[in-house]
């Protein structure tokens, strides 16, 4: 797919106090590849299915959601690519969503701390690594 405009909006509120941040850019990656999907993860680290997104040499915007609504499971995210002893960089509790930008999509590993978790995600290739 040819280079496209990519935008994202993140909002957070407490009571009547709201912070809403928006960004839009024309992607330098050509093609602008993306993957939209879901998967169920267990207690072993696994990669996110990349589809056509370059796993090693591009900037990627990654939107993730822990779809579980009951229990105490945590979606644990590692960005270092080490499955044996990874560093947990991000934890999403039930129902939580997070948007991050990463340089090596192939290094992303996700797992549950207990049981299984349904995960929804979208990854968009937005440019070359710096």
């Amino acid at each position: 797919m040819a280079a496209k405009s990519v935008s994202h909006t993140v909002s957070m509120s407490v009571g009547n106090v709201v912070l809403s941040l928006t960004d839009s850019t024309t992607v330098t990656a050509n093609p602008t590849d993306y993957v939209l999907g879901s998967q169920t993860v267990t207690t072993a680290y696994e990669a996110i299915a990349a589809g056509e997104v370059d796993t090693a040499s591009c900037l990627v915007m990654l939107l993730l959601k822990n779809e579980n609504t009951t229990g105490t499971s945590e979606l644990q995210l590692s960005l270092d690519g080490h499955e044996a002893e990874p560093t947990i960089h991000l934890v999403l509790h039930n129902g939580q969503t997070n948007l991050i930008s990463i340089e090596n999509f192939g290094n992303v590993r996700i797992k549950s701390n207990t049981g299984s978790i349904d995960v929804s995600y979208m990854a968009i290739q937005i440019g070359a690594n710096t």
Side-chain angles (χ1 to χ4, degrees), residues 33-36 48-55 105 121 123 125:
D33 291 328
Y34 68 94
V35 61
L36 175 65
I48 297 172
E52 296 180 3
V53 174
D54 188 328
T55 58
F105 186 55
Y121 61 89
Q125 189 170 314

Side-chain angles (χ1 to χ4, degrees), residues 1 4 12 16 20 24 32 38-42 50 52 57 71 76 97 124:
M1 175 184 316
K4 301 287 183 197
M12 188 174 215
N16 63 354
S20 187
S24 181
T32 303
S38 62
Q39 69 189 70
T40 300
V41 296
T42 59
E52 296 180 3
S57 61
Q76 298 178 344
T97 302
I124 303 173

Side-chain angles (χ1 to χ4, degrees), residues 71-122:
T72 59
S73 56
E74 299 174 349
L75 176 62
Q76 298 178 344
L77 177 81
S78 173
L79 303 177
D80 60 18
H82 302 294
E83 292 186 32
E85 293 186 35
T87 301
I88 298 171
H89 294 102
L90 181 66
V91 172
L92 297 178
H93 296 279
N94 291 336
Q96 289 184 334
T97 302
N98 200 288
L99 175 68
I100 60 172
S101 58
I102 53 178
E103 287 197 348
N104 291 304
F105 186 55
N107 285 346
V108 176
R109 300 288 185 268
I110 55 176
K111 76 172 193 120
S112 171
N113 68 323
T114 182
S116 63
I117 294 178
D118 294 323
V119 180
S120 296
Y121 61 89
M122 182 176 201

Side-chain angles (χ1 to χ4, degrees), residues 4-74:
K4 301 287 183 197
S5 175
V6 174
S7 63
H8 57 275
T9 301
V10 179
S11 297
M12 188 174 215
S13 65
V14 57
N16 63 354
V17 178
V18 177
L19 176 62
S20 187
L21 306 171
T22 302
D23 181 286
S24 181
T25 186
T26 299
V27 175
T28 60
N30 191 2
T32 303
D33 291 328
Y34 68 94
V35 61
L36 175 65
S38 62
Q39 69 189 70
T40 300
V41 296
T42 59
T43 56
Y45 274 104
E46 59 186 80
I48 297 172
E52 296 180 3
V53 174
D54 188 328
T55 58
S57 61
C58 68
L59 298 173
V60 172
M61 293 296 298
L62 175 61
L63 179 63
L64 286 164
K65 181 174 184 181
N66 177 343
E67 295 287 0
N68 283 19
T69 57
T70 60
T72 59
S73 56
E74 299 174 349

